[in-house]
Amino acid sequence: MVVAIDGPAGAGKSSVARAVAARLGWAYLDTGAMYRCVALAVAERGGEPSAVAATIDIELGDRVLLDGRDVTEAIRRPPVAEGASKVAMDPGVRRALVTKQQAILRTGDWVAEGRDIALVVAPDAEVKVFVTASAEERARRRAADLGRDPADVLRRMADRDRRDSSGERSVLAPAPGAVHIDTTGRALDDVVDEVVALVEAR
Ligand code: DC
């Protein structure tokens, strides 16, 4: 079974997805980490992003390994986040990563988090959730994580949202049938309860 959790940066997807996976005892797939790995590899080695995406080896778990190297912290740096949002606009990169993600999700029970899980990667997901929060709350959370100025984060986030929802990909659109959850001002446990209840209902 697959639970798809999509939504914009800072909406609380990662915290919700991780906690739901832990609660259910299921595996957790962070697809954003894969786009971040491609951005890091391109920044370090150069090359055509789609070719890099098709050839690198990404291992996801407690630590993120890129061709065997631990990049868990490196991929969280702001320049890599910016790079990820750019390589994610490349249809060849998306095709390569979606193929890898679909292979991963084929076996077992998963909570998968990203932008296009319910629309593209796993349209047959049994539970689809679209998580949002106000722009101010999203910027505040990201700024706290990064130790940065919330106003600066808000501006960069608006740029990323524009890219993430531009062109042909529209990765920020909720899938038909997705349950919308606004996490603004809500406790994590409360949101996790709501998602777990949706899974149990299935
Ligand atoms: O969720 P995140 O911040 O780790 O994602 C990094 C970037 O990758 C973000 O700009 C959007 C992009 N992304 C995407 O286009 N599709 C996904 N399924 C996951 C992330």
Side-chain angles (χ1 to χ4, degrees):
M1 182 159 169
V2 173
V3 177
I5 301 192
D6 293 297
K13 290 187 306 291
S14 300
S15 311
V16 172
R18 264 178 222 282
V20 168
R23 188 86 78 78
L24 296 169
W26 293 6
Y28 161 64
L29 178 63
D30 176 3
T31 60
M34 300 174 76
Y35 288 90
R36 286 167 182 265
C37 281
V38 173
L40 181 63
V42 169
E44 287 179 346
R45 311 170 196 169
E48 191 55 47
S50 57
V52 171
T55 49
I56 55 174
D57 180 56
I58 303 170
E59 265 181 71
L60 300 170
D62 284 343
R63 312 294 299 172
V64 178
L65 304 183
L66 167 58
D67 288 332
R69 176 168 62 110
D70 191 332
V71 295
T72 315
E73 281 81 30
I75 59 166
R76 296 296 149 198
R77 296 193 192 119
V80 179
E82 301 256 329
S85 133
K86 288 177 186 149
V87 297
M89 293 182 74
D90 182 327
V93 170
R94 302 202 72 80
R95 259 195 307 277
L97 294 189
V98 167
T99 302
K100 287 184 203 275
Q101 291 154 12
Q102 289 175 334
I104 292 169
L105 295 178
R106 214 160 280 143
T107 52
D109 292 317
W110 290 90
V111 179
E113 175 222 322
R115 303 291 194 290
D116 58 344
I117 306 299
L119 275 178
V120 178
V121 178
D124 297 332
E126 283 82 353
V127 174
K128 299 173 182 170
V129 176
F130 194 79
V131 179
T132 56
S134 70
E136 290 71 21
E137 172 115 353
R138 292 165 49 214
R140 197 183 50 70
R141 288 179 187 154
R142 277 275 152 139
D145 282 350
L146 299 168
R148 302 261 300 270
D149 170 38
D152 180 44
V153 173
L154 185 57
R155 197 159 26 79
R156 282 166 187 271
M157 196 177 260
D159 287 345
R160 273 178 70 193
D161 282 354
R162 245 191 315 278
R163 273 199 297 271
D164 286 350
S165 56
S166 66
E168 298 159 23
R169 52 195 193 121
S170 222
V171 291
L172 282 185
V179 175
H180 285 239
I181 299 183
D182 186 341
T183 66
T184 311
R186 285 183 68 183
L188 175 62
D189 263 357
D190 184 34
V191 177
V192 173
D193 286 346
E194 184 175 345
V195 178
V196 169
L198 291 171
V199 176
E200 282 166 353
R202 290 298 304 234

